[in-house]
Every structure is written in C-alpha cells, then in structure tokens.
Amino acid sequence: MSIATQIIDRHGGADHGHKSYLEDGSGLRSWIFTLDHKRIGIMYLASAMAAFLLGGLLAMIIRIELLTPGPTIISADRYNQAFTLHGAIMIFLFIIPVIPAALGNFFLPLQLGAKDVAFPRLNLASYWIYVIGAIFAVVSMVMGSVDTGWTFYTPYSVDSNTAVIPMVTGAFILGFSSIFTGVNFVVTIHKMRPAGMGWFSMPLFLWALYATSIVQILATPVLGITLLLLAVERLVGIGIFDPLMGGDPVLFQHFFWFYSHPAVYIMILPAMGIISEVIACFSRKNIFGYRFVALSSIGIAVIGFLVWGHHMFVSGQSELAGTIFSALTFLVAIPSAIKVFNWIATMYRGSIELKTPMIYALMFLFLFSIGGLTGVYLGALALNVHVHDTYFVVAHFHYVIVGGTVIAFIGGLHYWWPKMSGRMYPERLAQVVALMIFVGFNWTFFPQFILGTQGMPRRYYNYLPEFAPLHQFSSAGAFVMGAGFGLMIAYFIWSWLRGPRAPQNPWGATTLEWTTSSPPIMHNFHKTPMVSGGAYHYSVHPSEATVRR
Amino acid sequence: MDAAAGPFLPSQASTLAPAVDAVHYFVLGISIFFFLLIVGLMLTFVIRYRRRRAEATTPDLTHNHALEIFWSVTPLLILAAIFTMGFNAYMAGRVAPDGALEVYVTGRQWSWSFSYPREGIVSPGELVVPVGRPVKLVMASEDVIHSFFVPAFRVKQDVLPNRYTTLWFEATMEGEFVIFCTEYCGTSHSDMIGTVIVKSEEEYRAWVESGGVGDISQLSMAEYGALLFRQNACNACHAVDGTRLVGPPLNGIFGHRQPLTGGDAVTVDEEYLRESIVNPNAKVVDGYSASMPAFPHLKPEQVGALIEYIKSLEQ
Amino acid sequence: MSQPLATISGRPAPPLAHHFESMKQQHDSAVLGMWVFLLTEILLFSGLFVGYAVYRALHPEVFQAASQLLDWRMGMLNTFVLLTSSLTMALAVRAAQLGRHRQLALLLASTLALAGVFLVVKYFEYSHKLHRGIAPGFWFSPHGAEAAGLADLPYARNFFSIYFVMTALHGIHVLIGMAAIGWLLARARRQDFGGEYYYPVECVGLYWHLVDLVWIYLFPLLYLID
Ligand code: HEA
Ligand code: HEA
Ligand code: CUA
Ligand SMILES: [Cu+2]
C-alpha cells in the first residue's frame, strides 16, 4: 500500500482496516517512509537500543581500564575518548530520545484515542534528523574521536585536536529532532484530546510527556546556539568562549548547563510518567493525589530552568550566584518528593501484583530515592565543594539516570511490550534478569559514592593505589549488570519472533491504549473511543472494596 | 599520602574540615532516614497488600490535602536546614582571614607550580606551608581550565586562564597531602598531581631560608634528580618503567641510539639530555609530538641532577 | 509541519489529513505548532543576545566606538525594507483567506522581492567591511583610513565577531523564509489556497514576522549605540 493512500484513507478500507500496524504494508519502503506514529516509535526504539549497546560497550571498556591504576588495556588518550563518547552517546542518542520518541510516540496518540500525532510528517522528519545526527556522531568516532568530556568545556574543546566539530554538529542536529518531537507532542495534547477528556482526566504519562516537551522546546535551542558558537569559535575564533581571543570560558558553562540541567528533567519526567501508570495498574488502585502528581511535573519543568548554576559552584562564579542556585536546587527537590510520597500512598490498601513492570517500578523507587537524595547532598554548597567532579557525582547521576530513567524505561517496555509487539515476554526469566540488573547496578555504582567522598576525581585514567579495591569491586559489578542487559535484549528479540500471542489487555489496565487490539491496527481504533471520567478506573467506592485490610 | 585515610571521608587536616564533615553526617543521616522510610513503607505495602484473589477490588482513595501539605512542607523545612548548614560552612571557606600567607598557584598542562611572592621562592609541584597558619592561594592557569583540590582540606576551586580565583585553608596537621586536578584538562589530567607539605613553623622557616630547596645536603645527585623529577611533574609525561605516556619512557635510554623525527638519530649522552630538558623541541624523538614545555627556571646544577637521575635508571 | 498537503509521492491530496476531525482542528493545530516553533527560534537568538549583553556590559566603550563603523543609513534602509515586507506578507495572508489568487501571488512576489533587496543591501555592507579587513575572528585585520583606530581597540574584534554571527544567522533565516515564500508562490499560482484552507500562508507569515522582529532588535543594538 502506498503512503498516499494511507493519508487519504480516513477510515481505513474494509480489506486492510483490521490488519495490525505491523502487517499493514511490508517491505523497507513501508517502514522508512511511514507516517504512522507506531512504526516511527518502533524505529526510534531500535535505534536508541543500538545506541545503548554502543554506549554500554564503551562503559565496559571504561570499567576494564579502571581495573588497575595506570594503563590496563588502552592509552590515556583512548580512555578520554571512551568516556566522552560513552557520555555523549548515552545522553544524546539514547536517554533523551528513548522514552519520549520511542514509547511516547507509540502511546501518546493511543492514550488520547487519536489516530496519530498532529504532524506525522514532522514526526518522520524528526526520526531521520535523529539518524543524520547519529551518523555525525559515529563519523566523529572514526575521524579521531572527541576527548573533551560530554560537557565540551572551553577552552579545552577549542584547543583539542580531535574531531570536536563533527560531534558538535551531530549534537546540534539531534537538537532539532528533539525540538520537533516536543512541538508535535505539545500540539497533539492541546488540540487532539477527545471530547470528554479534560486536562485532569489525561493519563499521567501524558502529563509527563507534556512537561518534557515544554523543557525540550525551551532548552534545546540554547544548546543549539551554544554548540554552533563553539563550532564557529573553533573555525573562526570569534572570541566568545576562547580566552586567547578575549572570550570567557565560564560563559560557555552557563550556556551549556542552561540546557543540560533542564535536560536531566527531559530524562526523568517521562520516566516518572511511566512509574505512575505502572504503580496504579499493578496495585489495581487509582493514583493517589492525581493533581499533585500531574502538576508537580510542571513544577519540576519550571523550577528546573533556574538551577543550572549548581554544576558551577567551584567554577569561579560569585558567592551570591552560588547561594541562589543552591537554594533553588533544594526547591526543585520538593516536587520529586511529592511524587514519591504519592506513589507510596497509591500502594496503600492496593491489590499488588509483582509482575515484571511492577518490580521495575519498585526498583525505581529504591534507586531514584538514593539518586535524588544524593542530588540534595550535592546541592549543599560546602559538600559540593568537596565532592564536585569526583566519583560521587558519577554515582549520583548513574543512580538517577540508570537507576531512575533506564529502569523506568525498561519497566515501561515490559508493560507495553504486549501492545507493541502483540506478544508476551517470558515472565519468570524477566524477573530473574530484573534481579540481576538490580544487584549488578548497586554493586557497580554504590562503591563509587565512597570513592567520591574519599576524593577520587572523575575522568581519571590513572589513580592512586588506595582506590584500587573499590574500583575493582565496581568493575566486577558492571559485568553482572551488563550480562543482565544482554539477556534482556536477547529475550525481547526472542519474544518479538516467537513469544506467545498477547491478549488485548493482559494487565487489566484502564487507559485507552488497552481498548484496541494487540498490536493495534493502522489507525489505532476500530471506532473512536468514548471517554468519560478520569483515566484510571481501578478502584471502587471504599465501602465495596474487598481487598483484605 | 593519605587521600583515603578515613573509611569514608579523608582525614580532617584543615580547620574547615570538621564543619564540612558535620554537614556531611547531617545530610547522610537525613538521607538514610528518608530512604528507609520510603523503602520500608514500600516493602510493607507489597507484602501486606499483595494480590490474594484475582478479582479483588480496592478502595478509591483519591487525595488528602492535609497529607499533601504535610509531605511537601516537612521536606521543605529539612531542606532549608541543609541549605543553611551548607551555606555557612561554604562561606567560612570563602573569605580568607587577614594576614594569611599568600602563594600564587599556576596550573598548566599537566603540573602545578607555586610561587611565594614575599619569600621569592618558586616551588614546582610541592606546596610547602606551615601548620596552624592561614594560607591564601591566588590561582591562574596558563592554558585550559584546571581545578585545585585537596581532599584532606575539603577545598576545591577551578583555576582559570583569564582571571584569578582564590582559595584559603589553614592546615591543622603536619604531613603530606595529595593535590588533585579535578577539571578535565586533556591527556594527563589524571597525572596532574601535586603535594601539600605541611611543616611545623620552624621547619617551614628553615625551608624558606634554604631558598625553598629544603635540606639536600644528605642527597646524592641522582636522588636530588629524582626529587626534581617528581617536583617538576616530569613523571606526568615520562614513565620510568618503559611505558609510553605523552613522552617517551626515560629508563635505559642513556648510551642508546634514539631515532628522531626527520630520520636522523642521536646517541643519548649528557649534552643531548641537557638539550632535551632546556630546549626540548630542538630534537624531537620519532613517534612523539613536540609537546614538551621548556623548564627555564631549572638551575644548571638541577639539570645536572636530573641527568644523573636519568642515567641511573635501568632498562 | 505546515505542508501536509502534497503527499510524499507528489500527488495533491484533499486538504483534510486523515487524522484530524475537522478543518478547524487542523488549522488550529498548524498555527499552534508554528507559534511553539517560533518560541524555539526566539530562544535560539536569545542565546546570542545574552552573549551580546555580557560583552557589551564588559566593554561598553568598545561597543560604542566600534558601532560607529556600521553604516546606520544602510541599517535603517533595511529596517524599512523588512517592515514593508512584513506588511505585504500580512496582506498576503488576508488574500489567501479570501481566496484572491492573483492578489496573493502578487503580494507574495513583492515580499520575496523585498527580501531580496534586504540581502543585496546586506551584501554591500558585508563586502564594504571585508575589504577593510573588518572580518570575524582570525581574519580581523582592519586597515585603511576609516578602520584605522580599530587595530588599537582591544575588543573591537569581539564586537565585529558578534555582529557577523548575529547578522549571518539572521541572514540564514531570511534565506529560509525566502524559500518558504517561493514555495507558497508556486502553490498560489496553482490556486491551492482559499476558504478554510490557508494555514500554510499564515504559518509562513508568522515566521516572516519573527524574522522581521529579530531585525528590529538587531538594528538598534548593533547600529545605534550612543
Ligand atoms: C535523570 C537525571 C537527573 C536527575 C533527575 C537529577 C536530579 C537532581 N540532581 Fe543531578 N545530575 C545529573 C542528572 C540528574 N540529576 C547529571 C547527569 C549530573 C552530572 C553532569 C556532569 O557533570 O557530567 C548531575 C549533577 C548534579 C549536581 C552537580 C554536581 C557537581 O558536578 O558538582 C547537582 C548539585 O546540586 C545535582 C543535584 C540534583 C538534585 C538536587 C536533583 C533533584 O531533582 C532530586 C530530587 C529527588 C529526591 C530528593 C528524591 C526523592 C524524594 C524523597 C526520597 C523524599 C525525601 C526527600 C527529601 C527530604 C529532600 N545534580
Ligand atoms: C544514559 C546515560 C548513561 C548510561 C545508561 C550509563 C551507563 C553506564 N555507565 Fe556511564 N556515564 C554517563 C552516562 C551514562 N552511563 C555520562 C553522561 C558520563 C560522564 C561522561 C563524561 O565525564 O564526560 C558517564 C561516565 C561513566 C563513568 C566515569 C568515567 C570517568 O569519569 O572516568 C563510568 C565509570 O564507571 C561509567 C560507567 C557506566 C556503566 C558501567 C554503565 C552501565 O550501566 C552500562 C550497561 C550496559 C551495557 C553493558 C550494554 C548492554 C549489554 C550488552 C551489550 C551485553 C554484553 C555485555 C557484556 C559482555 C558485559 N560511566
Ligand atoms: Cu589539569 Cu585536569
Ligand atoms: Cu543539574
């Protein structure tokens, strides 16, 4: 079937109206030119997972190199390139797009009961722009990898004789992809909610995506102009960031973190949305404090714009600035705390079933609490001075990013997998793997908090011998975690090809995506779903509840 | 060196350290409390309310404003307390007391150097200070951004190429403490390590009197060379065990033929070594870049000591 | 985002895309999308404006002195040209809505022509400076009578670097706008617009007003420092 007929055909012809989106059209062209949000979501998913494997491979190289002080398997320059690429690939190619652009793309229209996002072509463009950006990043690896750290601090990034420009161009292009996704989601949520679905009856995942999109739209252009100026600085020497030309290198840091702090909320907000869905579903209970959970997403998005300076407490910014940024940093922790407490309250008097998605949600609560509380630790001025740029920071952000976002993403992937693929994953194996990842993760990163408070700086190829035992311990854990991820990918591939067929609604969930077939048909719903009341219908009036108290 | 003297935090070797550590334990305690609270409630609910019957129903508990306010305001108050403690300890570390000993610090890829303006001393790699006296560092970089970090003192400050930044501390303990560079600055960032040597007031005065050399009368020329080799951070770029770093390894080169870029070769003798140190880019070893800085402040006898040290290194 | 009409295969499709309920919903979505996109454009430029503000605050006298070398008459002329083009564009949107095909084509063509005039004036300004060695970054080596004082003005290079980056980025936006208007013109001649369907013209119009607006800020900030 040609693309053109897909667009023209408003209601789907009788012959193909009931095929699933996976069977509706085959061959390469039907994928690479598809305007269907579900197929675009799947393409994003596959690409982001490829980036995760590449980034993970680099992480393993890092951990092997750190088994001994001094050279182990690679040279200092190679090591510096390894962590730079690890960070840049994981951030720009994996974690930023993975939840919004893969799961979000797939489920935003489904949860709205809509046929597609508002701008399907823009959606497709966003995917291919992502691919072009990724190609630049990979080309930069071939052309003598970047060694600046993912933060590209000037003046080092102006002096470095590695392929900074291709990498920066790649990140610039990826920014457009991110912006287009954000624009698309905002308009879709504003204009395509079905009659009967008010703002406060949307599923919380949509609130999370909405808040994320706002951050993407407002922050990403600033990264764009920053990287553009960096590239021009290298090419022409305009003297904005380069002190040799009269520029100010610290200005670069302000610009960079003005994007990159909000970017950490681009990573965590959609993850929090998934957690809200999963906890409600597997506790079979309506979410507690719906409005607080929904509005705290907006709170995080807004306050998140005002705290970038907490990455720069020792950069030479004034004491006054440091003090204000520290205070605001503490403020941004409040909405996260509100969410955590409401999730716990949702479990109270629920009927809790420990299926894999729920296990990941519990892991999220455990790991994100540690990550968030150590963020608070980092926000305290005097403590930040001691642990800034040490492994404490490395541990903090792996706890929030891997322990928070990646874990929530994997939980969401298990939750929605039956809908996306039409097949079930192996439940028992998945639970064992979840345990492996959990143990391996803590094993890898918990020791790094101790390394950090002892004073072990980050981005260190060589280190003092007294740090060796903890580093070795950490590396061992990385293998357990890596093996866990490897097994998970293997069973997902198996399930996609051979897994048992999934029913329409395996978890008894009440949001709209579960009212269509698994996998959904091309235009999502056989007939436009009717909406009334809130998104969650798990609970009954307290007097009728039969769960054992 | 005792970067990791404590099980968790390094030893407290400055007047600032106790205040910082107090904040540390305060935040740690609060974190453990909230962590246990959350995980405890979570596990309790998972066990207590596990699904027993497939068709079990649950009560619709939608919200409770009192609760929401309680769990927003309580953390807010606690966070305000943490902020205040962190702020106070931080400000104490920012404003140097009057009359502090001033030392200029220069960071470059990849070594530290310390100049004592009143004493007229330049000390590469080693910051020598008296115990119990405030010291103020005025810092700048010759190239990219570095960061001066002494874990045992709980102080850290970025060192910038286009302006001075300052930092102060007062050591409370004699001994040697490691200085790390904690802003990524290229290839040998992790080898940009220096030492703070805290001496008693008398020893410090003796050191100043000796022109910052300390007592070298006991040392052989090669031993003195080894000291200079470390002080000048030659070891940031040269291994002495045959490993290739930024520069070539220096063990066992004496007397050997060394291939140069451009196809020539030289036999390594005293004069070649002298030239390599004083005017490093005159002859560049094959396979390396001409990235070694000159060391103009080295006196002839110090160059001699370095040469003797290099000669003493076995293959 | 604003062109879901022609399909990828190039065939014209009916104006209402399959996933919208009504023309109004489609129109409103496109216009909202454009507004949101313009927000990102504003933030893109605001990065540069912040850079400008920082260096002007640091070296006010340099900015004042260097600014004298920009020809405010040329800048004024361009301001006038762009403002007029905004007017023709606004009228074009109206014409599209009313389905006046000939008038629409004429107005779009004049907008395009005015944009061209803007670029020609810019070209003369640029080449005038480059000939005197007033170029961004490494190439900055002022010579000749007019530029004589600049060589001794320590941060003059930074001022002109900022000038070139800002106006070049703006110029690129003008070019993109011209491409979009050209595309509208082609479609206007096919008589695509009218009635409920004119949001492509409206969206490009919004974009064009933004390009104009950015210039309205650039002009006094760069040319008129006293
Ligand atoms: C997903 C990404 C993510 C998230 C969500 C966060 C969340 C937070 N981060 Fe983190 N952070 C990063 C990713 C993230 N961070 C990265 C990548 C870096 C380093 C970048 C680099 O340098 O390379 C970094 C670095 C970083 C620094 C700078 C460190 C340094 O370099 O010196 C600071 C300092 O303030 C900080 C603070 C915080 C705070 C206060 C939060 C808060 O939002 C956390 C809020 C959550 C909670 C508080 C936990 C849940 C609540 C409870 C358990 C209830 C009880 C709570 C209280 C009583 C407070 N982060
Ligand atoms: C999304 C973000 C993300 C993710 C998911 C990760 C995942 C991991 N990270 Fe990463 N990390 C960053 C973002 C991320 N990191 C950033 C931003 C930095 C800072 C960079 C900088 O300083 O510039 C950093 C820095 C960083 C460092 C510090 C380097 C230094 O400062 O010198 C270390 C060290 O341990 C590390 C380790 C790991 C490990 C072990 C994982 C693991 O979780 C990875 C596990 C995944 C796999 C292993 C792949 C999948 C599995 C297979 C392919 C099966 C085969 C596997 C085996 C055979 C084992 N990371
Ligand atoms: Cu100097 Cu890192
Ligand atoms: Cu941050």
Side-chain angles (χ1 to χ4, degrees), chain A residues 261 264 307 310-311:
Chain A
H261 181 81
V264 312
V307 306
H310 67 207
H311 297 269

Side-chain angles (χ1 to χ4, degrees), chain A residues 156-287:
Chain A
Y156 185 76
S157 54
V158 180
D159 294 354
S160 169
N161 51 16
T162 54
V164 175
I165 290 187
M167 183 53 128
V168 160
T169 313
F172 178 79
I173 295 172
L174 288 167
F176 276 97
S177 156
S178 190
I179 288 175
F180 287 170
T181 304
V183 171
N184 222 334
F185 284 9
V186 165
V187 174
T188 309
I189 292 175
H190 266 279
K191 296 290 175 195
M192 298 183 71
R193 269 177 292 121
M197 188 188 280
W199 282 93
F200 288 106
S201 41
M202 290 198 309
L204 286 164
F205 185 56
L206 297 186
W207 269 100
L209 285 177
Y210 186 73
T212 309
S213 302
I214 291 183
V215 182
Q216 282 178 303
I217 287 165
L218 295 182
T220 316
V222 178
L223 178 73
I225 193 72
T226 309
L227 297 180
L228 200 67
L229 285 175
L230 173 58
V232 178
E233 183 80 75
R234 266 183 83 95
L235 284 170
V236 182
I238 48 173
I240 290 200
F241 301 137
D242 184 359
L244 285 181
M245 309 292 283
D248 181 5
V250 178
L251 187 64
F252 176 87
Q253 299 180 19
H254 281 291
F255 276 29
F256 182 82
W257 291 115
F258 183 85
Y259 165 76
S260 289
H261 181 81
V264 312
Y265 297 123
I266 298 179
M267 307 171 202
I268 202 70
L269 281 170
M272 291 168 154
I274 293 177
I275 297 302
S276 300
E277 301 290 329
V278 169
I279 288 189
C281 173
F282 291 89
S283 304
R284 193 176 289 169
K285 196 149 160 302
N286 291 353
I287 198 93

Side-chain angles (χ1 to χ4, degrees), chain A residues 351 363 416 463 485:
Chain A
S351 169
M363 280 162 62
W416 280 311
Y463 54 84
F485 284 129

